[in-house]
Amino acid sequence: MLTVDELPSRRLVEYEHVAGPEVVEDLFRLAEPLRGARVLHVNATAFGGGVAELLTSLVPLMRDAGLDCHWQVLEGPPEFFATTKTMHNALQGAEVCWSSAQAEIWRSVNRCNARAIDDSWDYVVVHDAQPAAILASAAMDNGVRPQGRWTWRCHVDLTDASSNVWNFLAPYVAGYDAGIFSMPDYVRPGLSLNSVRIVPPAIDPLSEKNRPVEKVVVRGVLERYGIDLNRPIMLQVSRFDPWKDPVGVIDAYRLARTEVRTLQLLMIGSMADDDPEGWEWYERTVAHAGGDEDIHVYTNLDGVNAHEVNCFQRAADVVVQNSTREGFGLVVSEALWKERPVVARDAGGIPIQIRHGESGHLITTSEECADSVVHYLKHPEERRAAGAAGRARVRDHFLITRYLGDYLALFNDLGRRPAAEVVERAGAPVLSAAAV
């Protein structure tokens, strides 16, 4: 298990001018009973994807609120992350082959990582499927369930989860004290937990990706990457994987370009440590672009990091999110915060961010995507109105201050440091040492 040490400083008072002083005051009030509580977040990667971005802001804010908060990341061989990518795809509805060998790789890596977690935590939050067996593994090794309250935080859309993988994972999840899901529909039927919370993710308006940037700085970044600011820009920011449908984005761009011949397409993604499919889909995307000089495909390996993404989003005329499955899609809120209209698939958590016709358009096909992009490009007054409506919606519902408050409320409701419980407590999977 690796500890993430290098995190930006965050102070709640800095958010008063964005969220309002009364919101910050309420957060300190919620945090007061939790002062000094030891909190651990566990996930699969420190870089790339929404979970890592959330924790980069959430952990420092919990510290400023008075909690002793830390973040640890799984260690594992490449075959483990290939296995968990298969799990991830299956949980989002893909039909996959799930073998006993894959199950054993997942369990064994979780067990090795569980040994690095001591028993001093008041609250442990385990994010997604990759580390979900940490609790059962620690209980089996120690003979008793670890102290503290354990929460499983699911960031993916489980609506159409493949039954074979979910049935394998569910007993491990049932051992937790609480579950957090981004949407009510993601809570699987029959899942028995003492507490279930619906907590959509949120953006940090003061992070490097979202804070204000001067226009001259934006222009400099775009010039560096060969983007013409005097021509319209269509943008998607996403990992390169099948669920983001990057090939479909290019198809939509080509359709839109028959109406707006000066259109440029930017496709920006990061290569996350826990996503072995990334390079395959990046190469597919570049191949589908076919050498079109107005299709610009960049990753963090091209120097595109949070600051550059911020500038690209602010320069875009229309942002698209062509996801066929999406747990939430933080990039939608990011673009709305920057007053960009968003054209996105009606999938997962996207519809609760976009009000169709007000802050963007919800679409189902590449043809509809192209039509909406062209509409916004030809109607700048609607583009500006959608941008203003989108920023207001994010301010009211999807800022990190609300997200922090949801966690503090859950911790208060769960209470602190219960006595140790035996492994065979109700709901916990009873597994042999060989199985774990």
Side-chain angles (χ1 to χ4, degrees):
M1 192 81 75
L2 298 174
T3 299
V4 180
D5 291 319
E6 295 184 10
L7 291 170
S9 62
R10 290 283 187 271
R11 298 189 66 227
L12 280 168
V13 294
E14 296 171 349
Y15 293 78
E16 288 185 348
H17 74 283
V18 179
E22 66 285 350
V23 170
V24 173
E25 182 179 341
D26 285 345
L27 289 172
F28 280 118
R29 178 183 53 79
L30 278 170
E32 183 58 34
L34 302 167
R35 185 165 293 278
R38 302 202 72 227
V39 179
L40 176 65
H41 290 272
V42 179
N43 81 315
T45 180
F47 177 80
V51 180
E53 287 190 18
L54 282 165
L55 292 179
T56 297
S57 295
L58 184 64
V59 171
L61 285 173
M62 283 190 171
R63 290 173 179 173
D64 189 61
L67 285 67
D68 183 14
C69 188
H70 299 265
W71 174 11
Q72 293 183 359
V73 173
L74 287 178
E75 291 184 275
E79 56 265 30
F80 170 75
F81 292 106
T83 293
T84 57
K85 185 62 178 181
T86 298
M87 289 184 81
H88 175 87
N89 288 339
L91 292 173
Q92 293 203 133
E95 290 299 323
V96 303
C97 178
W98 181 250
S99 67
S100 57
Q102 289 172 308
E104 180 54 34
I105 290 170
W106 181 77
R107 282 190 292 247
S108 63
V109 171
N110 269 265
R111 189 172 191 187
C112 289
N113 281 272
R115 291 169 183 151
I117 298 179
D118 63 40
D119 200 22
S120 65
W121 304 101
D122 293 295
Y123 303 97
V124 180
V125 183
V126 175
H127 295 260
D128 285 332
Q130 298 95 325
I134 289 279
L135 174 56
S137 299
M140 186 60 64
D141 272 1
N142 298 327
V144 293
R145 186 178 186 272
Q147 295 192 71
R149 293 300 195 189
W150 287 66
T151 296
W152 187 60
R153 198 326 178 194
C154 178
H155 295 269
V156 302
D157 180 351
L158 298 179
T159 308
D160 296 315
S162 177
S163 59
N164 61 335
V165 173
W166 173 250
N167 291 340
F168 169 79
L169 180 64
Y172 293 92
V173 174
Y176 285 79
D177 299 294
I180 300 177
F181 300 85
S182 297
M183 300 272 288
D185 289 348
Y186 297 176
V187 184
R188 295 293 298 171
L191 180 60
S192 178
L193 291 168
N194 292 332
S195 179
V196 171
R197 298 295 175 94
I198 306 304
V199 180
I203 67 163
D204 181 351
L206 303 187
S207 70
E208 189 170 12
K209 188 188 276 190
N210 296 308
R211 65 192 181 196
V213 180
E214 296 289 339
K215 289 183 179 180
V216 65
V217 176
V218 172
R219 180 174 292 276
V221 168
L222 267 70
E223 287 176 350
R224 190 190 339 149
Y225 286 93
I227 315 299
D228 187 350
L229 258 176
N230 297 312
R231 294 166 53 199
I233 297 170
M234 171 181 170
L235 167 71
Q236 175 158 304
V237 178
S238 279
R239 285 191 188 192
F240 293 100
D241 74 25
W243 305 108
K244 313 300 183 185
D245 192 17
V247 170
V249 174
I250 294 175
D251 291 340
Y253 153 79
R254 286 177 173 147
L255 289 169
R257 187 152 176 169
T258 64
E259 296 284 333
V260 182
R261 296 192 177 277
T262 56
L263 183 62
Q264 304 167 95
L265 173 64
L266 276 68
M267 302 188 70
I268 309 300
S270 61
M271 296 304 186
D273 296 336
D274 64 340
D275 188 0
E277 280 188 321
W279 278 113
E280 175 189 346
W281 278 91
Y282 170 82
E283 290 168 359
R284 287 191 189 188
T285 303
V286 171
H288 197 63
D292 186 331
E293 293 183 353
D294 286 324
I295 300 178
H296 304 267
V297 184
Y298 295 117
T299 75
N300 53 299
L301 300 180
D302 299 304
V304 175
N305 296 305
H307 172 68
E308 287 76 19
V309 171
N310 191 347
C311 292
F312 288 144
Q313 288 173 329
R314 293 182 185 279
D317 294 280
V318 183
V319 173
V320 300
Q321 190 58 42
N322 203 42
S323 303
T324 57
R325 287 284 192 277
E326 190 65 75
F328 183 73
L330 277 173
V331 289
V332 172
S333 281
E334 290 168 7
L336 294 175
W337 182 247
K338 300 173 181 76
E339 301 187 65
R340 304 295 97 182
V342 179
V343 175
R345 289 283 187 109
D346 188 355
I350 292 174
I352 68 171
Q353 300 174 74
I354 296 175
R355 287 182 168 169
H356 182 72
E358 292 185 19
S359 53
H361 287 172
L362 296 171
I363 51 91
T364 57
T365 66
S366 293
E367 290 78 11
E368 290 179 0
C369 180
D371 289 344
S372 292
V373 168
V374 170
H375 177 84
Y376 277 124
L377 293 176
K378 290 186 173 181
H379 297 86
E381 69 289 346
E382 287 191 36
R383 199 163 68 234
R384 288 189 290 271
R391 183 176 173 91
R393 182 153 181 80
V394 174
R395 183 185 61 243
D396 293 342
H397 299 285
F398 303 117
L399 295 184
I400 193 73
T401 43
R402 189 271 303 159
Y403 195 64
L404 171 62
D406 288 340
Y407 269 100
L408 296 177
L410 173 63
F411 292 166
N412 275 310
D413 289 347
L414 289 175
R416 289 174 66 173
R417 299 291 292 174
E421 301 170 78
V422 297
V423 180
E424 293 82 3
R425 77 180 187 91
V430 181
L431 304 170
S432 68
V436 177

